[in-house]
Amino acid sequence: MKPENFRDLMRLVHGFEAAKILLVANDLGLFKRLDPPRGAAEVAGELGVDSRALELLMNALTALGLLEKSGSTYRNAPVAAAYLAGDSYRGHIFRHIHHCWESWNDLAGVLRRGGPDLVRESVILHDEEDWNRDFIRGMDDVTRDLAPQVVTQLDLTGVRRLLDVGGGPGTYARAFLTAHPRLTDVTIFDLPFALAVARERLEGCPRRDDVRLVAGDFNKDTLGDGFDAIWVSQVLHSQSEAGCRTLLAKAAQALAPGGRLLVHEFLLDAERTQPLTAALFAVHMLVMTAGGRAYSGEEIAGWMRECGLVDIEVRKVSDDTGVVQGRRHCP
Ligand SMILES: C[S@@+](CC[C@H](N)C(=O)[O-])C[C@H]1O[C@@H](n2cnc3c(N)ncnc32)[C@H](O)[C@@H]1O
């Protein structure tokens, strides 16, 4: 919301306190310990933290609407019970965001240098297992509801073989196979640590045999060939403009004649100032990557034209994201 007065500015700036409280509580596994409801001292003993400090944190979580307090006992509010505890836990994405906080702390340094010191998002450059697992499982947390909604809007008439570049946890692969029964072969191309998560997440998928996992680095390896469609979702933003051009050219080469390239991103408008999610995400990529940012639909469409793709279209597919689509010329 656009700040209009000093009070709004203060509310904006204080936002970090609520975020930090939630992120630390999630890291501690606090929400997972409140079924049945418990007192702060008991939970503090189990977590090995100071009981007075935890009580203050839990009171603030109550004020935020994440806990409910009755006497000296706390229980999860419905939203915390739904997403931060139990089988439907989606806190990996919050753990990932908390890992990124360290890089955000250096925003002023990033502005001076033009980029981060630690290239975290360039996942090849670090091998911290927790960081990587939370990142990829976090992608599943975020896309579990979104993927089915997005893939049903895509025209995949005649598509049998689909390549999902940077397919991460396999959430889109699963959604494609559910929504498009004529697909017979979905290949997820990603780095080995991401495929390890995909393997786990795809267990029990009714069409598991139709998914292939191919380990590779799209900056070094080729993507294969003869695909009827290639899906590149939330990948370009981690690459520089030159990296995007190279990756799209590689993808265009991997298409069968008439095949479609579909790029899914937080798309900026032509001014690159809206929507808010994309403009903030551009800064996130500034602090996390060497050369990445959010892009506009027109920038991506232009790179597709450079690759010789035709019938290029840009369209919104969710509140925050859009798809840029192009087709390899069919002689
Ligand atoms: C932000 S996630 C997006 C995951 C998924 N496509 C989605 O939309 O939710 C970026 C994905 O790109 C993969 N990736 C990043 N660099 C890569 C590279 N050089 N080669 C292959 N995959 C890469 C990451 O491992 C991760 O799965």
Side-chain angles (χ1 to χ4, degrees):
M1 218 183 307
K2 209 166 158 184
E4 287 177 354
N5 52 42
F6 185 68
R7 196 160 167 239
D8 292 348
L9 289 177
M10 286 295 279
R11 192 173 299 134
L12 184 64
V13 166
H14 278 296
F16 87 91
E17 297 167 355
K20 189 71 173 180
I21 287 168
L22 168 56
L23 294 175
V24 168
N26 178 59
D27 280 2
L28 282 173
L30 176 68
F31 303 101
K32 293 180 177 175
R33 290 178 188 265
L34 296 181
D35 185 16
R38 325 265 296 276
E42 193 185 347
V43 181
E46 278 179 18
L47 293 174
V49 300
D50 181 78
S51 123
R52 174 180 169 274
L54 189 68
E55 188 179 345
L56 296 178
L57 190 94
M58 291 173 86
N59 286 341
L61 286 165
T62 306
L64 286 166
L66 295 167
L67 298 182
E68 291 169 357
K69 187 176 182 184
S70 164
S72 57
T73 304
Y74 299 84
R75 70 171 68 237
N76 286 321
V79 69
Y83 300 116
L84 298 168
D87 293 343
S88 52
Y89 179 73
R90 292 203 203 179
H92 308 96
I93 188 60
F94 301 131
R95 289 175 57 83
H96 171 63
I97 290 168
H98 206 182
H99 290 147
C100 299
W101 189 294
E102 193 187 316
S103 307
W104 272 89
N105 275 339
D106 186 37
L107 180 57
V110 167
L111 286 170
R112 275 193 303 276
R113 290 187 301 272
D117 238 356
L118 285 172
V119 183
R120 292 287 191 172
E121 179 84 358
S122 175
V123 283
I124 294 172
L125 297 183
H126 66 86
D127 59 0
E128 297 156 41
E129 203 183 325
D130 278 356
W131 203 104
N132 287 336
R133 275 188 65 78
D134 285 333
F135 170 43
I136 300 300
R137 294 206 61 181
M139 294 305 109
D140 181 51
D141 291 343
V142 171
T143 53
R144 215 174 298 164
D145 298 329
L146 181 68
Q149 179 197 323
V150 168
V151 302
T152 46
Q153 296 174 60
L154 307 174
D155 176 11
L156 295 187
T157 312
V159 174
R160 300 268 182 281
R161 292 187 69 213
L162 180 142
L163 173 67
D164 184 353
V165 178
T171 319
Y172 275 99
R174 190 193 271 259
F176 274 121
L177 286 165
T178 308
H180 299 280
R182 285 169 190 266
L183 277 172
T184 52
D185 176 350
V186 173
T187 300
I188 303 176
F189 179 98
D190 210 310
L191 298 164
F193 74 83
L195 295 185
V197 176
R199 214 165 271 120
E200 284 169 25
R201 302 301 300 163
L202 289 166
E203 245 175 57
C205 168
R207 298 194 58 195
R208 176 67 185 85
D209 291 348
D210 297 329
V211 186
R212 259 193 277 187
L213 304 180
V214 174
D217 174 348
F218 55 62
N219 287 321
K220 295 184 185 147
D221 304 317
T222 56
L223 301 175
D225 56 22
F227 293 100
D228 302 315
I230 300 184
W231 176 244
V232 187
S233 172
Q234 301 291 17
V235 169
L236 287 195
H237 58 241
S238 65
Q239 306 298 304
S240 65
E241 292 176 33
C244 291
R245 282 197 167 91
T246 309
L247 177 54
L248 293 184
K250 232 181 226 191
Q253 283 302 309
L255 285 170
R260 299 147 226 215
L261 176 58
L262 301 133
V263 172
H264 179 229
E265 282 288 333
F266 295 118
L267 293 178
L268 283 165
D269 65 6
E271 294 271 312
R272 302 184 193 165
T273 59
Q274 294 291 338
L276 177 64
T277 316
L280 292 178
F281 195 68
V283 182
H284 183 63
M285 286 296 113
L286 170 72
V287 299
M288 298 301 295
T289 68
R293 65 171 168 89
Y295 296 104
S296 71
E298 195 35 58
E299 285 176 289
I300 297 170
W303 298 327
M304 284 193 183
R305 269 181 229 113
E306 285 172 17
C307 301
L309 298 184
V310 296
D311 300 337
I312 294 165
E313 284 170 29
V314 182
R315 90 192 146 93
K316 193 173 154 107
V317 289
S318 74
D319 287 346
D320 295 327
T321 64
V323 166
V324 187
Q325 172 172 344
R327 191 183 278 276
R328 183 167 175 181
H329 180 64
C330 197

